[in-house]
């Protein structure tokens, strides 16, 4: 199975591609961030996210996209703009005929460390260890995207059994 994990954002959209080998070994095929500049008109930023994600999908050929769901308690304006980016990400995945799975930050934290209120630093250290990386991926959005992809792989057996 090849999964592209995506951590949506308008300035920085993290992405990470994880492949399973022999149903137990995980390999990071690639990861990075789609960066857009704040002075670029918003519709152009969304277009950049779409185009770059489409290229990532064409390059790595994932079967599934695992996308982090939004959780914002304070800044409504940020939540709305990130929601637009999520919409573009989901549309791109649908256009490329990927299965789409969404995970909350709580689900991701529980999958990685077994505790839904884990600190970001703890999450980053775990993703480094679990994926056998030499260092913690930067920016944070990249580590988050890999964590979302890892969460999907961890939950894949459940999805297969339930058809969800």
């Amino acid at each position: 199975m090849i999964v592209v994990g995506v951590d949506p954002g308008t300035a920085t959209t993290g992405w990470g591609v994880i492949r399973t080998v022999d149903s137990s070994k995980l390999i990071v095929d690639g990861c990075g961030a789609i960066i857009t500049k704040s002075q670029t008109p918003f519709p152009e930023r969304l277009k950049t996210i779409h185009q770059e994600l489409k290229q990532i999908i064409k390059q790595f050929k994932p079967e599934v996209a695992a996308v982090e769901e939004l959780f914002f308690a304070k800044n409504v304006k940020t939540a709305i703009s990130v929601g637009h980016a999520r919409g573009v990400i989901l549309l791109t995945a649908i256009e490329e005929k990927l299965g789409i799975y969404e995970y909350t930050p709580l689900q991701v934290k529980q999958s990685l460390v077994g505790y839904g209120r884990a600190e970001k630093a703890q999450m980053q250290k775990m993703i480094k260890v679990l994926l056998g990386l030499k260092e913690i991926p930067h920016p944070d959005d990249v580590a988050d995207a890999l964590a979302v992809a890892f969460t999907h792989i961890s939950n894949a057996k459940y999805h297969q059994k339930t058809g969800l």
Side-chain angles (χ1 to χ4, degrees), residues 22-130:
D22 300 330
S23 74
S24 62
K25 183 175 168 103
L26 301 177
I27 296 174
V28 176
D29 284 339
C31 61
I34 300 168
I35 308 289
T36 65
K37 297 178 181 172
S38 60
Q39 62 269 28
T40 302
F42 190 68
E44 289 297 318
R45 294 172 82 180
L46 295 176
K47 180 180 176 185
T48 298
I49 293 167
H50 170 70
Q51 290 173 331
E52 290 193 28
L53 182 58
K54 192 172 187 168
Q55 284 305 117
I56 291 161
I57 292 168
K58 287 191 182 311
Q59 178 181 351
F60 293 101
K61 298 179 181 17
E63 303 134 65
V64 172
V67 182
E68 187 169 70
E69 288 187 3
L70 293 180
F71 177 77
F72 284 94
K74 296 177 185 172
N75 191 333
V76 173
K77 185 176 180 183
T78 301
I80 291 170
S81 65
V82 174
H84 288 358
R86 266 188 101 253
V88 166
I89 291 162
L90 295 173
L91 177 61
T92 304
I94 289 170
E95 283 182 344
E96 296 301 314
K97 300 185 180 11
L98 301 184
I100 299 172
Y101 295 86
E102 299 172 83
Y103 297 95
T104 65
L106 178 72
Q107 289 172 307
V108 174
K109 290 176 180 182
Q110 286 176 329
S111 176
L112 267 107
V113 297
Y115 177 60
R117 303 216 188 280
E119 298 291 324
K120 186 164 277 290
Q122 188 179 10
M123 298 286 296
Q124 292 170 339
K125 287 177 186 173
M126 283 302 292
I127 205 66
K128 177 186 171 216
V129 170
L130 292 169

Side-chain angles (χ1 to χ4, degrees), residues 7-26:
D7 179 37
T10 51
T12 307
T13 293
W15 64 272
V17 177
I18 301 176
R19 174 172 38 104
T20 58
V21 179
D22 300 330
S23 74
S24 62
K25 183 175 168 103
L26 301 177

